[in-house]
């Protein structure tokens, strides 16, 4: 007999949503405000998005907050961004932790001030047993640097006799990346109308679905998140197999 409990349709929503949060500067400029005001408003959008992710049952949310190339920006803007990051990790993360969020950080965190590095490490440790939402923040993250670091590690392991080069397959290599043990993103969303990856999750995005919206990041919220999930649900993912 068919077990109807098993035959229930399973949710087809994305387990892992990754967002390139772009457009803070243009949002501020359109209001005659300094770019820092756009970044402040962007933090509000992060809060809304975290709530939306939990509401929609997404279990992994990766946020591209600062790229390794963003260090090329003027120092006053970098100061504004690191100031916001400092405030976010000090005040928001403990609250998020209480709400079941587990924090992971990817990227060259050692390029940030020591107090920020300490606060990040503490938040990761304090939230390690949380399971409601895995929040991955990409900070000073660059996918090419990540891949090169993994290749370097593989080379060192091989030279040390700990890795047979013939055994280096995709699964092994993926485990050397910063995202080891994380699922690949199902949906990559970019705000502000730009349609590029800007060095984000190049390896991991091999079979991701992409959604681009013209909405600027500070205007992003639950409605836009739900819209992106609806768009995702209309996509047919094939992974190279025959169309169904
Ligand atoms: C995204 O907004 C925030 C970061 C990249 C840190 P931008 O600052 O890139 O805003 P635009 O693209 O100039 O509008
Ligand atoms: C990508 O946005 C990085 C983040 C959102 C953190 P950028 O604004 O830095 O990207 P480009 O320079 O337009 O490609
Ligand atoms: Mg930008």
């Amino acid at each position: 007999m068919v077990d109807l409990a098993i035959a229930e349709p399973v949710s087809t929503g994305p387990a892992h949503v990754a967002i390139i949060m772009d457009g803070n500067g243009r949002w501020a400029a359109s209001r005659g405000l300094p770019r820092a005001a756009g970044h402040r408003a962007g933090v509000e959008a992060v809060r809304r998005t975290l709530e939306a992710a939990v509401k929609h049952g997404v279990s992994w949310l990766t946020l591209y907050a600062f790229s390794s190339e963003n260090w090329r920006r003027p120092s006053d803007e970098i100061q504004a961004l690191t100031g916001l990051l400092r405030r976010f990790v000090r005040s928001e993360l403990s609250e998020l932790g209480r709400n079941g969020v587990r924090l992971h950080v990817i990227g060259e965190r050692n390029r940030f001030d020591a107090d920020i590095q300490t606060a990040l490490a503490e938040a990761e440790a304090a939230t390690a047993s949380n399971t409601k939402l895995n929040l991955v923040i990409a900070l000073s993250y660059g996918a090419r640097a990540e891949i090169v670091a993994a290749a370097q590690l593989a080379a060192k392991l091989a030279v040390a006799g700990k890795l047979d080069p013939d055994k280096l397959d995709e699964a092994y290599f993926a485990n050397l990346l910063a995202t080891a043990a994380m699922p690949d993103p199902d949906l990559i969303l970019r705000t502000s109308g730009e349609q590029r990856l800007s060095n984000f999750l190049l390896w991991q995005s091999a079979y991701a679905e992409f959604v681009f919206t013209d909405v600027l990041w500070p205007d992003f919220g639950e409605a836009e998140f739900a819209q992106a999930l609806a768009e995702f649900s209309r996509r047919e993912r094939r992974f190279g197999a025959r169309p169904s």
Side-chain angles (χ1 to χ4, degrees):
M1 209 172 91
V2 175
D3 185 343
L4 289 175
I6 293 173
E8 282 287 306
V10 288
S11 159
T12 52
H16 185 174
V17 176
I19 306 183
I20 303 171
M21 310 183 289
D22 199 12
N24 295 351
R26 279 162 282 170
W27 183 92
S30 71
R31 285 163 175 74
L33 297 169
R35 292 178 64 87
H39 297 314
R40 270 199 300 279
V43 177
E44 295 297 327
V46 168
R47 289 192 190 105
R48 293 193 294 272
T49 303
L50 281 163
E51 281 173 23
V54 170
K55 182 178 163 191
H56 290 274
V58 166
S59 45
W60 287 83
L61 177 72
T62 296
L63 299 177
Y64 200 8
F66 195 91
S67 76
S68 34
E69 289 74 29
N70 286 147
W71 293 110
R72 296 175 185 156
R73 296 197 179 187
S75 62
D76 61 331
E77 184 170 354
I78 287 175
Q79 249 172 31
L81 283 163
T82 51
L84 284 170
L85 174 64
R86 180 174 280 115
R87 229 167 301 155
F88 189 80
V89 293
R90 281 196 189 148
S91 61
E92 307 272 328
L93 284 179
S94 49
E95 162 89 22
L96 289 172
R98 280 194 295 279
N99 287 319
V101 175
R102 177 174 181 182
L103 177 77
H104 311 256
V105 177
I106 57 173
E108 311 150 314
R109 65 170 82 193
N110 57 5
R111 293 186 70 176
F112 292 94
D113 290 341
D115 67 304
I116 293 180
Q117 292 182 47
T118 305
L120 289 171
E122 283 174 2
E124 282 176 307
T127 61
S129 56
N130 285 350
T131 54
K132 194 191 264 178
L133 174 71
N134 283 285
L135 169 65
V136 186
I137 308 187
L139 289 170
S140 188
Y141 174 85
R144 285 185 171 180
E146 179 193 31
I147 292 167
V148 168
Q152 204 171 63
L153 194 56
K156 284 182 183 164
L157 287 166
V159 167
K162 292 176 180 158
L163 165 65
D164 173 356
D166 291 328
K167 298 260 163 63
L168 179 57
D169 59 10
E170 290 181 15
Y172 191 99
F173 192 78
N175 264 316
L176 302 178
L177 295 168
T179 52
M182 299 178 191
D184 283 345
D186 300 293
L187 168 62
I188 294 187
L189 176 68
R190 184 170 187 150
T191 56
S192 88
E194 309 298 347
Q195 302 192 0
R196 54 177 171 265
L197 274 174
S198 301
N199 206 11
F200 186 47
L201 300 180
L202 298 182
W203 168 280
Q204 300 83 348
S205 64
Y207 269 102
E209 295 294 328
F210 290 85
V211 170
F212 300 103
T213 169
D214 287 338
V215 170
L216 301 173
W217 178 249
D219 292 326
F220 192 87
E222 213 267 314
E224 290 73 21
F225 192 84
Q227 223 171 10
L229 295 195
E231 172 65 32
F232 176 86
S233 72
R234 289 191 288 272
R235 304 278 176 90
E236 187 196 359
R237 300 182 84 191
R238 296 181 185 162
F239 301 100
R242 200 172 68 166
S244 53

